[in-house]
Amino acid sequence: MAARPSEPIETRLFINNEFRESSDKKTFEVVYPYTKEVIANVHQASIDDVNDAVTAADAAFPAWRDLGVDGRAPYLRKMSELFAEANDELARLETLCTGRPISQFIDAGMSSGLFRYFADGVWTAQGTASTHTPGLLSLTVKEPFGVAGLIIPWNFPLVMFTMKIAPALAAGNTVVLKSSEKAPLTSIFAAKLFQKAGFPPGVVNIIAGFGAPTGAALAEHMAVRVISFTGSSLTGQKIQAAAAKSNMKHVHMELGGKSPAVVFEDADIEAAAVETQFSIQFNSGQVCVANSRVYVQESVYDKFIAVFREKFAAVKLGDPLDPSTSHGPQIDAAQYKRVQEYLGVGEKDGSLTQGGDAHDGFFVKPTIFEKVPEDSRLMREEVFGPVVAINTFKTEEEAVWKANDTEFGLYASVFTKDLDRAVRMSKALQAGTVGVNCTSPTNAKDAAFGGYKMSGNGREGMLYSIENFLQTKSILIKS
Ligand code: NAD
């Protein structure tokens, strides 16, 4: 299947409502991971370009803020329409950038829904008022920060884009969004939609480039007042340090994971196996909440692993643009190499019992390791590939200890039919979200999403996302 789309791909920066080339003319290649064909040369924002984008956003802020929620909502509703209409182009561009099978693409519809929600969602972010202090009317109100810097990863580029840009704008901030250097095309395409929707100049600025210099320049910028970041924990630490050293801007971090699933003998074993294998296979394991560690109670291990193996092996590798493909390649050579390294660790420390072998291109077949010691790097570090370690446990206490023995804390699952145990485990597991009898449903829109420990701070998801883009002011009125 030909990778190159019929229409030319927009590759420029979007600053102050205009598409422009990077000031130093530097570009970088975007490669379709399946054919390794270069599909675009994208303009890389220089430090001057970052400054221009922030200056434009800063100038646009007062008028955008003063429109109020009702004044801003029609722009966001228009974006919801445009995203829905552009579904097919966005699906193709996202697949070309990431290699995720097009059959898994629901992201334009999700984005459309998020813009629709956030258009009016800010009404739910309320302040408080009191007369408790004699002679004072005390009002606590919520206000936008000003310029929001948004930095996103490559694994779900479009949904990450919307999850940040829609609430930031709805709350009254203006934005500079830096896409991932591995998957910038849907962000640039979305810039065309913002232009079409008639947003005032400077409200939305979308730039592309690497962590350095582009991302770092945004994180350090003195006129950026809040950074919302999704990516690895290591980069999160750098951004938090840059924020602290520059102007103490607010930071909100959605970081990596090493999510455990615990399967008890009283669970629906087949359902648990089906859910957990999908969690680590979906998007070739390049998912922050993928359950890369599965702990199964000894008495049901054989039954569980039989179903898991069968389903895990049934994927269809192929061209991600082919709707029948269910398993795509890793996004690029670096990611492929990284997964290969962890396959080596797994073979050394545990037993490789399925997959493991390389395939033509950047493909990694769904891979199972068993009997991996808890202190192996395979159990402690984020692989970001379709590689699972499945171990056993005897008691609930042992399962809790093993599941929590990690610096990450993004998501944890427990499979059981015993309600008392489900409640106990939900309390005991150290994670921002605990799924009982489920891995990570994509339709849990109203739930807060975010990490404990090294998996981040702050929360995303509907109301929680809006709160990230509002600061609190007290107004004291003497009477
Ligand atoms: P990454 O940290 O390498 O890069 C993320 C973004 O940060 C990119 O846009 C990159 O250019 C930028 N960046 C890199 N260095 C920077 C710096 N010094 N200053 C500013 N920006 C910089 O992560 P990635 O490889 O793109 O994404 C994979 C990671 O993201 C995984 O760890 C995954 O778990 C995590 N992730 C987390 C969530 C979540 O919601 N918790 C969701 C998706 C992905």
Side-chain angles (χ1 to χ4, degrees):
M1 222 166 271
R4 198 168 291 283
S6 48
E7 285 186 22
I9 298 176
E10 181 57 76
T11 58
R12 292 171 294 172
L13 311 170
F14 183 68
I15 296 174
N16 210 19
N17 250 14
E18 285 175 357
F19 284 96
R20 58 150 108 158
E21 298 185 348
S22 66
S23 61
D24 58 11
K25 307 285 177 223
K26 280 194 184 154
T27 60
F28 62 93
E29 290 180 346
V30 176
V31 172
Y32 181 39
Y34 180 64
T35 59
K36 300 179 187 164
E37 184 186 350
V38 176
I39 47 166
N41 285 289
V42 169
H43 285 266
Q44 175 184 327
S46 65
I47 292 179
D48 284 347
D49 295 323
V50 173
N51 287 336
D52 285 355
V54 174
T55 302
D58 206 24
F61 170 62
W64 181 248
R65 174 197 59 203
D66 291 347
L67 277 180
V69 180
D70 277 344
R72 295 189 292 268
Y75 292 99
L76 291 146
R77 286 194 207 108
K78 184 69 191 167
M79 286 302 291
S80 168
E81 278 171 34
L82 294 174
F83 262 99
E85 284 166 18
N87 180 75
D88 295 353
E89 278 160 294
L90 287 165
R92 193 171 170 81
L93 282 177
E94 186 109 321
T95 305
L96 286 172
C97 278
T98 62
R100 175 154 65 107
I102 204 160
S103 58
Q104 295 178 358
F105 184 84
I106 52 167
D107 311 47
M110 282 173 78
S111 293
S112 171
L114 286 167
F115 270 104
R116 201 169 49 244
Y117 168 80
F118 284 118
D120 298 297
V122 189
W123 286 113
T124 55
Q126 302 278 338
T128 55
S130 98
T131 52
H132 297 322
T133 307
L136 276 187
L137 172 60
S138 172
L139 304 174
T140 303
V141 299
K142 302 278 184 178
E143 294 187 330
F145 284 94
V147 180
L150 313 175
I151 302 178
I152 59 174
W154 50 264
N155 62 334
F156 294 98
L158 189 59
V159 167
M160 296 294 138
F161 175 95
T162 313
M163 204 60 197
K164 298 216 182 291
I165 209 163
L169 291 170
N173 303 274
T174 53
V175 302
V176 179
L177 179 140
K178 189 196 90 62
S179 55
S180 164
E181 61 276 20
K182 296 190 186 194
L185 298 183
T186 41
S187 292
I188 306 174
F189 184 92
K192 295 202 284 189
L193 303 184
F194 279 106
Q195 205 178 38
K196 203 167 166 185
F199 273 70
V203 169
V204 176
N205 304 275
I206 294 167
I207 59 177
F210 291 81
T214 313
L218 194 56
E220 287 161 10
H221 205 291
M222 293 299 287
V224 173
R225 298 292 166 193
V226 57
I227 288 270
S228 181
F229 170 72
T230 298
S232 64
S233 301
L234 186 63
T235 307
Q237 286 176 310
K238 289 184 194 164
I239 291 177
Q240 190 137 359
K245 271 196 212 148
S246 54
N247 60 350
M248 206 52 123
K249 52 181 71 67
H250 285 243
V251 286
H252 157 238
M253 301 273 160
E254 298 284 349
L255 308 176
K258 192 72 194 172
S259 301
V262 178
V263 182
F264 285 97
E265 60 191 0
D266 61 29
D268 178 337
I269 301 300
E270 174 149 2
V274 170
E275 281 257 348
T276 50
Q277 65 81 32
F278 182 72
S279 167
I280 188 70
Q281 182 273 321
F282 182 61
N283 198 14
S284 299
Q286 301 166 133
V287 181
C288 55
V289 290
N291 51 222
S292 46
R293 298 179 296 141
V294 179
Y295 298 103
V296 184
Q297 202 154 19
E298 267 181 6
S299 51
V300 289
Y301 190 76
D302 291 346
K303 187 175 174 193
F304 176 90
I305 197 103
V307 182
F308 194 108
R309 280 205 182 116
E310 188 196 325
K311 301 284 179 195
F312 212 37
V315 296
K316 180 169 177 267
L317 277 63
D319 184 348
L321 287 169
D322 178 344
S324 70
T325 296
S326 61
H327 191 82
Q330 306 308 118
I331 190 167
D332 64 2
Q335 188 58 28
Y336 178 73
K337 201 169 152 233
R338 175 192 168 101
V339 179
Q340 291 299 321
E341 187 191 330
Y342 283 104
L343 294 182
V345 173
E347 281 193 66
K348 185 169 72 63
D349 294 350
S351 308
L352 171 69
T353 59
Q354 188 163 310
D357 44 337
H359 193 272
D360 206 17
F362 301 141
F363 285 91
V364 177
K365 283 189 186 163
T367 297
I368 302 175
F369 286 101
E370 294 173 67
K371 300 189 174 70
V372 186
E374 295 300 314
D375 61 357
S376 167
R377 284 178 57 214
L378 191 73
M379 303 301 276
R380 312 203 75 78
E381 298 172 13
E382 190 177 34
V383 177
F384 231 48
V387 180
V388 66
I390 309 182
N391 281 352
T392 57
F393 67 90
K394 286 193 176 67
T395 64
E396 188 176 313
E397 196 183 17
E398 182 189 350
V400 170
W401 173 79
K402 286 183 169 172
N404 286 341
D405 185 24
T406 169
E407 277 308 311
F408 294 104
L410 191 58
Y411 200 97
S413 298
V414 54
F415 291 85
T416 178
K417 286 185 185 153
D418 179 336
L419 183 60
D420 289 340
R421 171 175 274 156
V423 172
R424 275 196 311 274
M425 288 295 290
S426 304
K427 289 182 184 172
L429 291 168
Q430 297 164 355
T433 305
V434 175
V436 177
N437 295 324
C438 60
T439 50
S440 180
T442 51
N443 56 355
K445 292 185 190 146
D446 50 354
F449 180 80
Y452 276 18
K453 305 182 192 170
M454 289 282 283
S455 293
N457 57 40
R459 291 292 178 269
E460 283 188 335
M462 299 311 207
L463 176 59
Y464 301 93
S465 292
I466 292 169
E467 296 280 358
N468 291 328
F469 294 108
L470 291 169
Q471 54 189 337
T472 303
K473 176 187 275 178
S474 292
I475 302 173
L476 305 174
I477 303 174
K478 195 173 170 191
S479 60

